[in-house]
Amino acid sequence: MKTRVGIVGAGPAGLLLSHLLHLEGIDSVVIESRSRQEIEATIRAGVLEHGTVELLRKTGIGARMDREGFVHEGVYLRFAGTTHRIDFKALTGRSIMVYAQHEVIKDLVAARLEAGGMLLFEVKDAAVYDLDTAQPTIRFHQRGKVEELQCDFIAGCDGFHGITRPSIPSRMRHEFTRVYPFGWFGILVEAPPSTDELIYAHHERGFALVSTRSPQIQRLYLQCDPNDELKNWPDSRIWDELHARLETREGWKLAEGRIFQKGVIAMRSYVVEPMRYGRLFLAGDAAHIVPPTGAKGLNLAAADVRVLSKALTSFYKSGNEQALKDYSATALRRVWRAEHFSWWMTSMLHRFHDETPFHHRLQLAELDYVVTSRAKAQTLADNYVGLPLE
Ligand SMILES: Cc1cc2nc3c(=O)[nH]c(=O)nc-3n(C[C@H](O)[C@H](O)[C@H](O)COP(=O)(O)OP(=O)(O)OC[C@H]3O[C@@H](n4cnc5c(N)ncnc54)[C@H](O)[C@@H]3O)c2cc1C
């Protein structure tokens, strides 16, 4: 098989890249180790930045998002028993969309298949070769047969645990990592929304987040031990912790319901530089990870592939390689901004295991500054709704 761009991974990065390239008349093949059903059912991110929303709309895949997603014009910060709103619309003129990642995936898969796109699911043992030549290759097994895909370029969109990043010689990889000493215990609940916008809560017992998925389904998170096990969290303990961490002086009420999914998410910051080796370009979680506090993971994946698709388009339309040469530096500028924002939100809102009363007071002072200084609130709002796309 031959294609112009071979894409490893059908997550948001790989599918959106394939879609953007298709709109420019550039053919690609996406290979994915999981089944279509699995990728369409994996619950992950839920907040889309303004720029991501606009990109989906402009490229013809925003219709269901506009019908079923929720536009939020702010978020609540809750600390010391009081709730404060950060008004995105007033501060930036922009807003965010709450629309689940697996719904974005469904929309992208449908659009690619409708356009006759090549998506190969359930491939095994993918490996990439000849990355520093003009014809890199992807080899994989499908239905018991060895397949070879010859490409002009390969996009490594296979997430943090994929095979493309480790295929770059280690001497060419500069890695930056921070592992946080806590995780998030996430639940999905059958209940009506308890709030019209997301609530980020700072509490002595640890962080909590109230988010939504639909008028019937809510997504709630609690800071927990990163190695915690589900069996340690019977429903009664989850509700007790959520009530304790979210209670306010005004008597705010959390709507309870049947918990139908539980999971622990580890928290890590990670970046590899550069995001290119020869004709392999990394995008999304394959190149960087953020803790979910800033809601940036999915949005960074979209921003990367937007830059990459423009660079590949420029190459195919004019033969000019400059944008491809600039890809890593251009993408990394936004990546590090998001890394900083995610680290800042995480540091400000979570309880650290070695936290002293002094540190706790500093967090409260910072939160108080965010909700009373227009400049500081603007910083949070600008970053949360997302800087304009390149
Ligand atoms: C449990 C969890 C919860 C999260 N929650 C949030 C959140 O609340 N907010 C937020 O902003 N972000 C969140 N994130 C991060 C966000 O979901 C990711 O940043 C986003 O999915 C990145 O998209 P991607 O396409 O780069 O990678 P992925 O979505 O990881 O997609 C990579 C794809 O590549 C495939 N693949 C991997 N290896 C191979 C291989 N060898 N061959 C073929 N295919 C392969 C995988 O099966 C996968 O489908 C969460 C992540 C996780 C894991």
Side-chain angles (χ1 to χ4, degrees):
M1 285 192 284
K2 267 187 181 226
T3 189
R4 283 180 154 179
V5 185
I7 301 174
V8 186
L15 289 168
L16 184 56
L17 177 62
S18 179
H19 176 65
L20 296 177
L21 291 175
H22 162 72
L23 297 179
E24 297 293 345
I26 300 167
D27 70 276
S28 65
V29 173
V30 182
I31 64 157
E32 165 60 51
S33 53
R34 295 184 297 157
S35 67
R36 178 178 179 184
Q37 289 74 10
E38 267 180 277
I39 64 163
E40 291 187 345
T42 306
I43 309 284
R44 286 193 169 181
V47 171
L48 305 183
E49 289 179 359
H50 177 82
T52 309
V53 170
E54 289 289 294
L55 181 62
L56 296 179
R57 275 186 193 139
K58 273 191 207 142
T59 59
I61 35 174
R64 199 164 68 90
M65 170 189 75
D66 279 328
R67 279 199 311 275
E68 298 177 17
F70 301 86
V71 174
H72 286 194
E73 296 187 345
V75 282
Y76 296 108
L77 292 181
R78 184 170 289 178
F79 56 95
T82 315
T83 309
H84 309 261
R85 183 163 185 265
I86 304 291
D87 188 335
F88 296 156
K89 198 76 178 172
L91 289 160
T92 69
R94 292 176 289 152
S95 54
I96 54 155
M97 178 79 77
V98 176
Y99 185 62
Q101 175 167 330
H102 64 284
E103 303 296 348
V104 177
I105 295 274
K106 284 184 205 166
D107 297 342
L108 284 165
V109 169
R112 289 309 297 120
L113 293 178
E114 199 180 321
M118 272 276 258
L119 303 183
L120 306 180
F121 292 105
E122 298 180 72
V123 310
K124 303 278 169 262
D125 307 322
V128 292
Y129 299 94
D130 306 326
L131 300 175
D132 52 357
T133 72
Q135 194 169 69
T137 304
I138 309 175
R139 251 173 250 147
F140 53 93
H141 288 83
Q142 204 186 27
R143 290 184 219 99
K145 265 178 62 193
V146 181
E147 302 282 0
E148 185 168 289
L149 179 62
Q150 293 177 344
C151 318
D152 295 346
F153 299 96
I154 296 177
C157 300
D158 47 349
F160 187 63
H161 301 287
I163 51 96
T164 55
R165 187 180 68 250
S167 307
I168 300 175
S170 57
R171 66 177 192 289
M172 307 300 287
R173 277 186 267 139
H174 301 278
E175 297 177 291
F176 305 83
T177 308
R178 182 183 174 89
V179 179
Y180 297 86
F182 39 75
W184 278 11
F185 193 92
I187 58 169
L188 281 169
V189 184
E190 272 172 16
S194 300
T195 173
D196 55 342
E197 291 171 342
L198 273 62
I199 303 172
Y200 284 76
H202 171 275
H203 194 273
E204 283 163 14
R205 300 182 68 86
F207 171 76
L209 172 62
V210 183
S211 174
T212 187
R213 284 293 181 268
S214 72
Q216 296 82 29
I217 309 282
Q218 310 313 316
R219 182 80 164 139
L220 305 169
Y221 295 98
L222 281 164
Q223 177 183 346
C224 67
D225 186 293
N227 302 313
D228 223 334
E229 293 178 37
L230 301 191
K231 66 175 168 44
N232 298 334
W233 287 88
D235 292 4
S236 57
R237 182 178 171 210
I238 296 172
W239 291 119
D240 287 350
E241 276 301 321
L242 282 168
H243 284 295
R245 297 182 195 191
L246 288 161
E247 71 181 11
T248 63
R249 294 208 195 106
E250 305 92 51
W252 181 84
K253 282 267 170 292
L254 174 67
E256 290 191 18
R258 186 178 75 85
I259 298 173
F260 63 94
Q261 207 228 27
K262 301 178 185 177
V264 175
I265 305 168
M267 308 272 279
R268 181 197 300 264
S269 302
Y270 171 89
V271 181
V272 68
E273 292 186 5
M275 289 167 58
R276 169 188 189 174
Y277 172 69
R279 288 205 161 202
L280 169 68
F281 292 84
L282 300 178
D285 278 18
H288 42 72
I289 298 275
V290 283
T293 329
K296 288 284 161 265
L298 164 61
N299 294 295
L300 275 183
D304 285 352
V305 298
R306 153 103 168 154
V307 175
L308 184 54
S309 67
K310 281 172 70 181
L312 288 165
T313 303
S314 158
F315 173 80
Y316 282 113
K317 296 229 158 117
S318 66
N320 187 342
E321 275 196 57
Q322 193 53 47
L324 285 172
K325 286 186 182 148
D326 292 342
Y327 167 70
S328 177
T330 307
L332 281 168
R333 246 186 108 213
R334 188 183 191 92
V335 167
W336 278 111
R337 174 86 302 281
E339 289 287 345
H340 179 270
F341 178 66
S342 305
W343 164 84
W344 175 62
M345 289 283 281
T346 303
S347 307
M348 180 169 67
L349 287 162
H350 289 75
R351 185 182 168 80
F352 285 74
H353 62 292
D354 54 354
E355 186 167 298
T356 59
F358 178 78
H359 184 243
H360 187 74
R361 287 285 191 283
L362 288 183
Q363 287 182 324
L364 290 173
E366 174 115 41
L367 283 161
D368 186 48
Y369 190 37
V370 170
V371 300
T372 51
S373 152
R374 187 177 171 96
K376 198 77 177 171
Q378 174 110 39
T379 296
L380 191 152
D382 272 343
N383 282 274
Y384 202 98
V385 301
L387 304 177
L389 288 174
E390 293 281 343

